[in-house]
Amino acid sequence: DSGVTQTPKHLITATGQRVTLRCSPRSGDLSVYWYQQSLDQGLQFLIHYYNGEERAKGNILERFSAQQFPDLHSELNLSSLELGDSALYFCASSVDIGLYLTDTQYFGPGTRLTVL
Amino acid sequence: DAKTTQPTSMDCAEGRAANLPCNHSTISGNEYVYWYRQIHSQGPQYIIHGLKNNETNEMASLIITEDRKSSTLILPHATLRDTAVYYCIVRVAAAGNKLTFGGGTRVLVKP
């Protein structure tokens, strides 16, 4: 158990819908990262939040957005869903006090999204 | 981020040591080598990381060559539960601390 929690574990929805995935980081961790894992693209970085502020963006679609709240939990919002958005979505957290190269990310169990 | 090259797959006998190679010939002086593994669609699990010295923890050992162009992850006594995809990653501090995953090595531990 990494200490990172994600809800829900599974989500089944229809095309065109909007969903929200939730992540609670490990106690004391200031950074949250979101990753997407699809069969054809592998594990890809989406976005990084540090202490409530967006720090870096990766291959995140405009239909997707995220935020990190004052209690440091994060939500990933996916809208206008398409079949190709079906994937595993992982969040990870790290302490991230300063730019320490040895800062380690710990992953949650993931949310499996199926778009029908 | 430096690119890594790993074998696509490998088998290992239960109870034997598993040696997983990784090439990272373009690694920069300030990049660390990280290893994660992913067991059947679970969240990636951190294993170990290092800069230039060999490292050991309760899960594995990491051997980095002197020129830092390659490394080997060693699972000393592989068990069936070590069957997973193992990812070797090098990290650049300026890249928002993201992890860039390649294809990894699919390790199958056989009884």
mmCIF file of all heavy atoms in Angstrom, chain A residues 48-92:
data_model
loop_
_atom_site.group_PDB
_atom_site.id
_atom_site.type_symbol
_atom_site.label_atom_id
_atom_site.label_comp_id
_atom_site.label_asym_id
_atom_site.label_seq_id
_atom_site.Cartn_x
_atom_site.Cartn_y
_atom_site.Cartn_z
ATOM 1 N N HIS A 48 0.938 17.896 -13.580
ATOM 2 C CA HIS A 48 1.555 17.921 -12.257
ATOM 3 C C HIS A 48 1.072 19.155 -11.507
ATOM 4 O O HIS A 48 1.123 20.267 -12.031
ATOM 5 C CB HIS A 48 3.079 17.932 -12.417
ATOM 6 C CG HIS A 48 3.846 18.214 -11.169
ATOM 7 N ND1 HIS A 48 5.071 18.837 -11.184
ATOM 8 C CD2 HIS A 48 3.570 17.951 -9.862
ATOM 9 C CE1 HIS A 48 5.522 18.948 -9.939
ATOM 10 N NE2 HIS A 48 4.639 18.423 -9.137
ATOM 11 N N TYR A 49 0.646 18.941 -10.276
ATOM 12 C CA TYR A 49 0.274 20.029 -9.386
ATOM 13 C C TYR A 49 1.146 20.008 -8.151
ATOM 14 O O TYR A 49 1.456 18.939 -7.601
ATOM 15 C CB TYR A 49 -1.198 19.913 -8.965
ATOM 16 C CG TYR A 49 -2.131 20.578 -9.928
ATOM 17 C CD1 TYR A 49 -2.533 19.930 -11.093
ATOM 18 C CD2 TYR A 49 -2.590 21.872 -9.705
ATOM 19 C CE1 TYR A 49 -3.376 20.552 -11.996
ATOM 20 C CE2 TYR A 49 -3.440 22.491 -10.606
ATOM 21 C CZ TYR A 49 -3.827 21.827 -11.758
ATOM 22 O OH TYR A 49 -4.654 22.441 -12.655
ATOM 23 N N TYR A 50 1.533 21.178 -7.739
ATOM 24 C CA TYR A 50 2.331 21.315 -6.529
ATOM 25 C C TYR A 50 1.646 22.315 -5.611
ATOM 26 O O TYR A 50 1.483 23.483 -5.974
ATOM 27 C CB TYR A 50 3.752 21.770 -6.856
ATOM 28 C CG TYR A 50 4.567 22.163 -5.650
ATOM 29 C CD1 TYR A 50 5.099 21.191 -4.816
ATOM 30 C CD2 TYR A 50 4.783 23.500 -5.336
ATOM 31 C CE1 TYR A 50 5.835 21.542 -3.698
ATOM 32 C CE2 TYR A 50 5.515 23.855 -4.217
ATOM 33 C CZ TYR A 50 6.046 22.871 -3.408
ATOM 34 O OH TYR A 50 6.765 23.222 -2.299
ATOM 35 N N ASN A 51 1.238 21.871 -4.465
ATOM 36 C CA ASN A 51 0.659 22.730 -3.431
ATOM 37 C C ASN A 51 -0.440 23.633 -3.998
ATOM 38 O O ASN A 51 -0.487 24.819 -3.690
ATOM 39 C CB ASN A 51 1.760 23.571 -2.786
ATOM 40 C CG ASN A 51 1.377 24.050 -1.406
ATOM 41 O OD1 ASN A 51 0.484 23.503 -0.750
ATOM 42 N ND2 ASN A 51 2.046 25.098 -0.943
ATOM 43 N N GLY A 52 -1.263 23.065 -4.831
ATOM 44 C CA GLY A 52 -2.408 23.791 -5.354
ATOM 45 C C GLY A 52 -2.188 24.470 -6.687
ATOM 46 O O GLY A 52 -3.144 24.958 -7.292
ATOM 47 N N GLU A 53 -0.953 24.486 -7.168
ATOM 48 C CA GLU A 53 -0.691 25.194 -8.422
ATOM 49 C C GLU A 53 -0.214 24.223 -9.504
ATOM 50 O O GLU A 53 0.584 23.329 -9.226
ATOM 51 C CB GLU A 53 0.374 26.272 -8.201
ATOM 52 C CG GLU A 53 -0.109 27.402 -7.314
ATOM 53 C CD GLU A 53 0.887 28.552 -7.264
ATOM 54 O OE1 GLU A 53 1.908 28.496 -7.984
ATOM 55 O OE2 GLU A 53 0.637 29.507 -6.511
ATOM 56 N N GLU A 54 -0.660 24.477 -10.712
ATOM 57 C CA GLU A 54 -0.196 23.671 -11.828
ATOM 58 C C GLU A 54 1.265 23.953 -12.089
ATOM 59 O O GLU A 54 1.677 25.119 -12.199
ATOM 60 C CB GLU A 54 -1.016 23.993 -13.069
ATOM 61 C CG GLU A 54 -0.616 23.200 -14.298
ATOM 62 C CD GLU A 54 -1.369 23.647 -15.531
ATOM 63 O OE1 GLU A 54 -2.616 23.644 -15.508
ATOM 64 O OE2 GLU A 54 -0.706 24.012 -16.526
ATOM 65 N N ARG A 55 2.061 22.898 -12.204
ATOM 66 C CA ARG A 55 3.497 23.088 -12.407
ATOM 67 C C ARG A 55 3.948 22.634 -13.791
ATOM 68 O O ARG A 55 4.824 23.239 -14.368
ATOM 69 C CB ARG A 55 4.292 22.333 -11.346
ATOM 70 C CG ARG A 55 5.797 22.500 -11.502
ATOM 71 C CD ARG A 55 6.551 21.869 -10.368
ATOM 72 N NE ARG A 55 6.699 22.786 -9.248
ATOM 73 C CZ ARG A 55 7.424 22.522 -8.169
ATOM 74 N NH1 ARG A 55 8.018 21.354 -8.057
ATOM 75 N NH2 ARG A 55 7.522 23.388 -7.190
ATOM 76 N N ALA A 56 3.362 21.584 -14.304
ATOM 77 C CA ALA A 56 3.798 21.085 -15.608
ATOM 78 C C ALA A 56 2.660 20.347 -16.279
ATOM 79 O O ALA A 56 1.820 19.735 -15.619
ATOM 80 C CB ALA A 56 5.004 20.160 -15.461
ATOM 81 N N LYS A 57 2.647 20.449 -17.594
ATOM 82 C CA LYS A 57 1.661 19.727 -18.385
ATOM 83 C C LYS A 57 2.360 18.799 -19.338
ATOM 84 O O LYS A 57 3.403 19.128 -19.893
ATOM 85 C CB LYS A 57 0.814 20.718 -19.203
ATOM 86 C CG LYS A 57 -0.428 21.211 -18.524
ATOM 87 C CD LYS A 57 -1.259 22.046 -19.491
ATOM 88 C CE LYS A 57 -2.579 22.417 -18.860
ATOM 89 N NZ LYS A 57 -3.401 23.250 -19.769
ATOM 90 N N GLY A 58 1.748 17.658 -19.535
ATOM 91 C CA GLY A 58 2.261 16.714 -20.517
ATOM 92 C C GLY A 58 1.272 16.561 -21.639
ATOM 93 O O GLY A 58 0.725 17.527 -22.155
ATOM 94 N N ASN A 59 1.006 15.337 -22.006
ATOM 95 C CA ASN A 59 0.101 15.062 -23.121
ATOM 96 C C ASN A 59 -1.351 15.068 -22.690
ATOM 97 O O ASN A 59 -2.068 14.087 -22.846
ATOM 98 C CB ASN A 59 0.443 13.707 -23.743
ATOM 99 C CG ASN A 59 1.863 13.667 -24.269
ATOM 100 O OD1 ASN A 59 2.317 14.629 -24.866
ATOM 101 N ND2 ASN A 59 2.556 12.576 -24.013
ATOM 102 N N ILE A 60 -1.795 16.178 -22.157
ATOM 103 C CA ILE A 60 -3.165 16.263 -21.667
ATOM 104 C C ILE A 60 -4.033 16.980 -22.684
ATOM 105 O O ILE A 60 -3.678 18.035 -23.197
ATOM 106 C CB ILE A 60 -3.218 16.958 -20.280
ATOM 107 C CG1 ILE A 60 -4.626 16.869 -19.692
ATOM 108 C CG2 ILE A 60 -2.686 18.387 -20.357
ATOM 109 C CD1 ILE A 60 -4.705 17.218 -18.218
ATOM 110 N N LEU A 61 -5.167 16.363 -22.996
ATOM 111 C CA LEU A 61 -6.078 16.932 -23.971
ATOM 112 C C LEU A 61 -6.788 18.154 -23.389
ATOM 113 O O LEU A 61 -6.928 18.282 -22.171
ATOM 114 C CB LEU A 61 -7.128 15.887 -24.379
ATOM 115 C CG LEU A 61 -6.585 14.605 -25.013
ATOM 116 C CD1 LEU A 61 -7.700 13.584 -25.161
ATOM 117 C CD2 LEU A 61 -5.938 14.899 -26.360
ATOM 118 N N GLU A 62 -7.243 19.021 -24.255
ATOM 119 C CA GLU A 62 -7.968 20.212 -23.790
ATOM 120 C C GLU A 62 -9.279 19.841 -23.107
ATOM 121 O O GLU A 62 -9.789 20.599 -22.277
ATOM 122 C CB GLU A 62 -8.240 21.144 -24.966
ATOM 123 C CG GLU A 62 -7.005 21.895 -25.432
ATOM 124 C CD GLU A 62 -7.348 23.017 -26.395
ATOM 125 O OE1 GLU A 62 -8.535 23.360 -26.530
ATOM 126 O OE2 GLU A 62 -6.416 23.562 -27.006
ATOM 127 N N ARG A 63 -9.826 18.681 -23.432
ATOM 128 C CA ARG A 63 -11.077 18.223 -22.800
ATOM 129 C C ARG A 63 -10.830 17.767 -21.358
ATOM 130 O O ARG A 63 -11.781 17.517 -20.618
ATOM 131 C CB ARG A 63 -11.644 17.037 -23.589
ATOM 132 C CG ARG A 63 -11.974 17.351 -25.023
ATOM 133 C CD ARG A 63 -12.607 16.159 -25.718
ATOM 134 N NE ARG A 63 -11.661 15.110 -26.046
ATOM 135 C CZ ARG A 63 -11.581 13.941 -25.424
ATOM 136 N NH1 ARG A 63 -12.388 13.656 -24.422
ATOM 137 N NH2 ARG A 63 -10.698 13.024 -25.815
ATOM 138 N N PHE A 64 -9.578 17.645 -20.985
ATOM 139 C CA PHE A 64 -9.237 17.194 -19.645
ATOM 140 C C PHE A 64 -8.746 18.389 -18.833
ATOM 141 O O PHE A 64 -8.047 19.279 -19.351
ATOM 142 C CB PHE A 64 -8.135 16.143 -19.682
ATOM 143 C CG PHE A 64 -8.489 14.854 -20.371
ATOM 144 C CD1 PHE A 64 -9.730 14.640 -20.935
ATOM 145 C CD2 PHE A 64 -7.557 13.834 -20.438
ATOM 146 C CE1 PHE A 64 -10.061 13.444 -21.565
ATOM 147 C CE2 PHE A 64 -7.857 12.621 -21.060
ATOM 148 C CZ PHE A 64 -9.095 12.433 -21.631
ATOM 149 N N SER A 65 -9.065 18.374 -17.565
ATOM 150 C CA SER A 65 -8.542 19.419 -16.675
ATOM 151 C C SER A 65 -8.343 18.823 -15.294
ATOM 152 O O SER A 65 -8.883 17.751 -14.988
ATOM 153 C CB SER A 65 -9.507 20.608 -16.607
ATOM 154 O OG SER A 65 -10.728 20.212 -16.008
ATOM 155 N N ALA A 66 -7.555 19.485 -14.507
ATOM 156 C CA ALA A 66 -7.286 18.989 -13.156
ATOM 157 C C ALA A 66 -7.194 20.165 -12.210
ATOM 158 O O ALA A 66 -7.044 21.322 -12.626
ATOM 159 C CB ALA A 66 -5.998 18.168 -13.138
ATOM 160 N N GLN A 67 -7.297 19.868 -10.955
ATOM 161 C CA GLN A 67 -7.038 20.868 -9.930
ATOM 162 C C GLN A 67 -6.604 20.169 -8.657
ATOM 163 O O GLN A 67 -6.860 18.975 -8.461
ATOM 164 C CB GLN A 67 -8.267 21.749 -9.686
ATOM 165 C CG GLN A 67 -9.538 21.024 -9.399
ATOM 166 C CD GLN A 67 -10.724 21.988 -9.286
ATOM 167 O OE1 GLN A 67 -10.578 23.135 -8.852
ATOM 168 N NE2 GLN A 67 -11.901 21.542 -9.673
ATOM 169 N N GLN A 68 -5.931 20.941 -7.826
ATOM 170 C CA GLN A 68 -5.516 20.448 -6.520
ATOM 171 C C GLN A 68 -6.088 21.393 -5.477
ATOM 172 O O GLN A 68 -5.902 22.608 -5.557
ATOM 173 C CB GLN A 68 -3.993 20.365 -6.401
ATOM 174 C CG GLN A 68 -3.523 19.717 -5.106
ATOM 175 C CD GLN A 68 -2.007 19.632 -5.006
ATOM 176 O OE1 GLN A 68 -1.291 20.421 -5.612
ATOM 177 N NE2 GLN A 68 -1.509 18.682 -4.219
ATOM 178 N N PHE A 69 -6.728 20.846 -4.509
ATOM 179 C CA PHE A 69 -7.466 21.623 -3.523
ATOM 180 C C PHE A 69 -6.594 21.954 -2.311
ATOM 181 O O PHE A 69 -5.514 21.378 -2.147
ATOM 182 C CB PHE A 69 -8.711 20.847 -3.109
ATOM 183 C CG PHE A 69 -9.695 20.683 -4.234
ATOM 184 C CD1 PHE A 69 -9.577 19.623 -5.131
ATOM 185 C CD2 PHE A 69 -10.715 21.591 -4.436
ATOM 186 C CE1 PHE A 69 -10.454 19.477 -6.190
ATOM 187 C CE2 PHE A 69 -11.598 21.450 -5.490
ATOM 188 C CZ PHE A 69 -11.467 20.393 -6.370
ATOM 189 N N PRO A 70 -7.060 22.881 -1.466
ATOM 190 C CA PRO A 70 -6.257 23.264 -0.286
ATOM 191 C C PRO A 70 -5.882 22.084 0.612
ATOM 192 O O PRO A 70 -4.825 22.115 1.249
ATOM 193 C CB PRO A 70 -7.161 24.260 0.439
ATOM 194 C CG PRO A 70 -7.957 24.894 -0.656
ATOM 195 C CD PRO A 70 -8.217 23.786 -1.631
ATOM 196 N N ASP A 71 -6.719 21.047 0.657
ATOM 197 C CA ASP A 71 -6.343 19.887 1.485
ATOM 198 C C ASP A 71 -5.409 18.948 0.715
ATOM 199 O O ASP A 71 -5.080 17.872 1.190
ATOM 200 C CB ASP A 71 -7.579 19.126 1.957
ATOM 201 C CG ASP A 71 -8.337 18.466 0.820
ATOM 202 O OD1 ASP A 71 -7.983 18.701 -0.367
ATOM 203 O OD2 ASP A 71 -9.277 17.699 1.087
ATOM 204 N N LEU A 72 -4.981 19.344 -0.451
ATOM 205 C CA LEU A 72 -4.000 18.688 -1.328
ATOM 206 C C LEU A 72 -4.552 17.515 -2.138
ATOM 207 O O LEU A 72 -3.811 16.953 -2.962
ATOM 208 C CB LEU A 72 -2.752 18.242 -0.545
ATOM 209 C CG LEU A 72 -2.007 19.388 0.137
ATOM 210 C CD1 LEU A 72 -0.827 18.851 0.948
ATOM 211 C CD2 LEU A 72 -1.523 20.415 -0.878
ATOM 212 N N HIS A 73 -5.826 17.157 -1.956
ATOM 213 C CA HIS A 73 -6.350 16.142 -2.846
ATOM 214 C C HIS A 73 -6.519 16.753 -4.227
ATOM 215 O O HIS A 73 -6.579 17.974 -4.394
ATOM 216 C CB HIS A 73 -7.647 15.527 -2.306
ATOM 217 C CG HIS A 73 -8.905 16.206 -2.738
ATOM 218 N ND1 HIS A 73 -9.473 17.270 -2.049
ATOM 219 C CD2 HIS A 73 -9.709 15.974 -3.806
ATOM 220 C CE1 HIS A 73 -10.573 17.646 -2.661
ATOM 221 N NE2 HIS A 73 -10.746 16.885 -3.731
ATOM 222 N N SER A 74 -6.583 15.898 -5.212
ATOM 223 C CA SER A 74 -6.653 16.380 -6.591
ATOM 224 C C SER A 74 -7.782 15.675 -7.329
ATOM 225 O O SER A 74 -8.161 14.552 -6.992
ATOM 226 C CB SER A 74 -5.326 16.121 -7.304
ATOM 227 O OG SER A 74 -5.377 16.521 -8.667
ATOM 228 N N GLU A 75 -8.308 16.371 -8.297
ATOM 229 C CA GLU A 75 -9.337 15.803 -9.162
ATOM 230 C C GLU A 75 -8.951 15.980 -10.619
ATOM 231 O O GLU A 75 -8.418 17.040 -10.996
ATOM 232 C CB GLU A 75 -10.693 16.449 -8.882
ATOM 233 C CG GLU A 75 -11.247 16.122 -7.513
ATOM 234 C CD GLU A 75 -12.592 16.741 -7.231
ATOM 235 O OE1 GLU A 75 -13.097 17.505 -8.080
ATOM 236 O OE2 GLU A 75 -13.138 16.456 -6.159
ATOM 237 N N LEU A 76 -9.205 14.957 -11.381
ATOM 238 C CA LEU A 76 -8.984 15.008 -12.827
ATOM 239 C C LEU A 76 -10.354 14.928 -13.483
ATOM 240 O O LEU A 76 -11.096 13.973 -13.261
ATOM 241 C CB LEU A 76 -8.107 13.832 -13.278
ATOM 242 C CG LEU A 76 -7.796 13.742 -14.774
ATOM 243 C CD1 LEU A 76 -6.910 14.905 -15.210
ATOM 244 C CD2 LEU A 76 -7.113 12.419 -15.104
ATOM 245 N N ASN A 77 -10.692 15.956 -14.249
ATOM 246 C CA ASN A 77 -11.982 16.035 -14.909
ATOM 247 C C ASN A 77 -11.823 15.721 -16.383
ATOM 248 O O ASN A 77 -10.997 16.336 -17.072
ATOM 249 C CB ASN A 77 -12.574 17.436 -14.743
ATOM 250 C CG ASN A 77 -12.757 17.803 -13.288
ATOM 251 O OD1 ASN A 77 -13.531 17.178 -12.577
ATOM 252 N ND2 ASN A 77 -12.020 18.814 -12.825
ATOM 253 N N LEU A 78 -12.604 14.778 -16.843
ATOM 254 C CA LEU A 78 -12.564 14.371 -18.245
ATOM 255 C C LEU A 78 -13.931 14.639 -18.846
ATOM 256 O O LEU A 78 -14.947 14.150 -18.337
ATOM 257 C CB LEU A 78 -12.222 12.883 -18.367
ATOM 258 C CG LEU A 78 -11.082 12.348 -17.486
ATOM 259 C CD1 LEU A 78 -10.944 10.847 -17.653
ATOM 260 C CD2 LEU A 78 -9.787 13.054 -17.794
ATOM 261 N N SER A 79 -13.988 15.433 -19.907
ATOM 262 C CA SER A 79 -15.279 15.787 -20.482
ATOM 263 C C SER A 79 -15.351 15.387 -21.954
ATOM 264 O O SER A 79 -14.337 15.035 -22.561
ATOM 265 C CB SER A 79 -15.523 17.293 -20.343
ATOM 266 O OG SER A 79 -14.523 18.014 -21.037
ATOM 267 N N SER A 80 -16.569 15.416 -22.468
ATOM 268 C CA SER A 80 -16.821 15.041 -23.876
ATOM 269 C C SER A 80 -16.095 13.745 -24.204
ATOM 270 O O SER A 80 -15.346 13.646 -25.177
ATOM 271 C CB SER A 80 -16.369 16.162 -24.818
ATOM 272 O OG SER A 80 -17.023 17.363 -24.522
ATOM 273 N N LEU A 81 -16.330 12.768 -23.374
ATOM 274 C CA LEU A 81 -15.551 11.535 -23.456
ATOM 275 C C LEU A 81 -15.712 10.826 -24.796
ATOM 276 O O LEU A 81 -16.801 10.803 -25.391
ATOM 277 C CB LEU A 81 -15.940 10.601 -22.312
ATOM 278 C CG LEU A 81 -15.368 11.016 -20.946
ATOM 279 C CD1 LEU A 81 -16.041 10.230 -19.834
ATOM 280 C CD2 LEU A 81 -13.860 10.842 -20.915
ATOM 281 N N GLU A 82 -14.613 10.260 -25.231
ATOM 282 C CA GLU A 82 -14.571 9.491 -26.474
ATOM 283 C C GLU A 82 -14.136 8.062 -26.147
ATOM 284 O O GLU A 82 -13.574 7.804 -25.078
ATOM 285 C CB GLU A 82 -13.586 10.135 -27.451
ATOM 286 C CG GLU A 82 -13.921 11.575 -27.797
ATOM 287 C CD GLU A 82 -12.858 12.218 -28.666
ATOM 288 O OE1 GLU A 82 -11.859 11.539 -28.997
ATOM 289 O OE2 GLU A 82 -13.027 13.403 -29.010
ATOM 290 N N LEU A 83 -14.386 7.165 -27.083
ATOM 291 C CA LEU A 83 -14.010 5.769 -26.856
ATOM 292 C C LEU A 83 -12.526 5.644 -26.528
ATOM 293 O O LEU A 83 -12.127 4.840 -25.688
ATOM 294 C CB LEU A 83 -14.353 4.926 -28.091
ATOM 295 C CG LEU A 83 -15.828 4.813 -28.471
ATOM 296 C CD1 LEU A 83 -15.984 3.996 -29.743
ATOM 297 C CD2 LEU A 83 -16.636 4.200 -27.341
ATOM 298 N N GLY A 84 -11.729 6.446 -27.175
ATOM 299 C CA GLY A 84 -10.281 6.393 -27.002
ATOM 300 C C GLY A 84 -9.798 6.866 -25.649
ATOM 301 O O GLY A 84 -8.612 6.726 -25.325
ATOM 302 N N ASP A 85 -10.678 7.418 -24.847
ATOM 303 C CA ASP A 85 -10.297 7.848 -23.502
ATOM 304 C C ASP A 85 -10.320 6.696 -22.517
ATOM 305 O O ASP A 85 -9.881 6.846 -21.361
ATOM 306 C CB ASP A 85 -11.233 8.956 -23.009
ATOM 307 C CG ASP A 85 -11.157 10.200 -23.876
ATOM 308 O OD1 ASP A 85 -10.066 10.493 -24.410
ATOM 309 O OD2 ASP A 85 -12.193 10.882 -24.033
ATOM 310 N N SER A 86 -10.826 5.568 -22.944
ATOM 311 C CA SER A 86 -10.815 4.388 -22.083
ATOM 312 C C SER A 86 -9.378 4.039 -21.747
ATOM 313 O O SER A 86 -8.543 3.852 -22.636
ATOM 314 C CB SER A 86 -11.484 3.207 -22.786
ATOM 315 O OG SER A 86 -12.853 3.468 -23.011
ATOM 316 N N ALA A 87 -9.097 3.969 -20.467
ATOM 317 C CA ALA A 87 -7.716 3.763 -20.024
ATOM 318 C C ALA A 87 -7.688 3.613 -18.515
ATOM 319 O O ALA A 87 -8.710 3.776 -17.836
ATOM 320 C CB ALA A 87 -6.831 4.949 -20.435
ATOM 321 N N LEU A 88 -6.495 3.312 -18.031
ATOM 322 C CA LEU A 88 -6.235 3.391 -16.589
ATOM 323 C C LEU A 88 -5.667 4.767 -16.305
ATOM 324 O O LEU A 88 -4.779 5.241 -17.018
ATOM 325 C CB LEU A 88 -5.215 2.326 -16.184
ATOM 326 C CG LEU A 88 -5.720 0.898 -16.013
ATOM 327 C CD1 LEU A 88 -4.546 -0.069 -15.995
ATOM 328 C CD2 LEU A 88 -6.531 0.769 -14.744
ATOM 329 N N TYR A 89 -6.167 5.379 -15.260
ATOM 330 C CA TYR A 89 -5.671 6.690 -14.854
ATOM 331 C C TYR A 89 -5.068 6.554 -13.461
ATOM 332 O O TYR A 89 -5.734 6.143 -12.518
ATOM 333 C CB TYR A 89 -6.787 7.732 -14.870
ATOM 334 C CG TYR A 89 -7.258 8.030 -16.277
ATOM 335 C CD1 TYR A 89 -8.215 7.232 -16.899
ATOM 336 C CD2 TYR A 89 -6.709 9.090 -16.995
ATOM 337 C CE1 TYR A 89 -8.622 7.484 -18.197
ATOM 338 C CE2 TYR A 89 -7.108 9.348 -18.298
ATOM 339 C CZ TYR A 89 -8.063 8.535 -18.900
ATOM 340 O OH TYR A 89 -8.447 8.782 -20.194
ATOM 341 N N PHE A 90 -3.790 6.903 -13.393
ATOM 342 C CA PHE A 90 -3.083 6.807 -12.122
ATOM 343 C C PHE A 90 -2.714 8.191 -11.623
ATOM 344 O O PHE A 90 -2.371 9.075 -12.406
ATOM 345 C CB PHE A 90 -1.784 6.005 -12.282
ATOM 346 C CG PHE A 90 -1.981 4.568 -12.618
ATOM 347 C CD1 PHE A 90 -1.768 4.108 -13.911
ATOM 348 C CD2 PHE A 90 -2.360 3.655 -11.644
ATOM 349 C CE1 PHE A 90 -1.941 2.778 -14.240
ATOM 350 C CE2 PHE A 90 -2.539 2.316 -11.959
ATOM 351 C CZ PHE A 90 -2.329 1.881 -13.257
ATOM 352 N N CYS A 91 -2.768 8.340 -10.332
ATOM 353 C CA CYS A 91 -2.140 9.513 -9.760
ATOM 354 C C CYS A 91 -0.973 9.046 -8.902
ATOM 355 O O CYS A 91 -0.925 7.893 -8.459
ATOM 356 C CB CYS A 91 -3.114 10.363 -8.958
ATOM 357 S SG CYS A 91 -3.473 9.781 -7.314
ATOM 358 N N ALA A 92 -0.041 9.927 -8.742
ATOM 359 C CA ALA A 92 1.124 9.673 -7.912
ATOM 360 C C ALA A 92 1.356 10.906 -7.063
ATOM 361 O O ALA A 92 0.947 12.012 -7.427
ATOM 362 C CB ALA A 92 2.348 9.376 -8.775
#
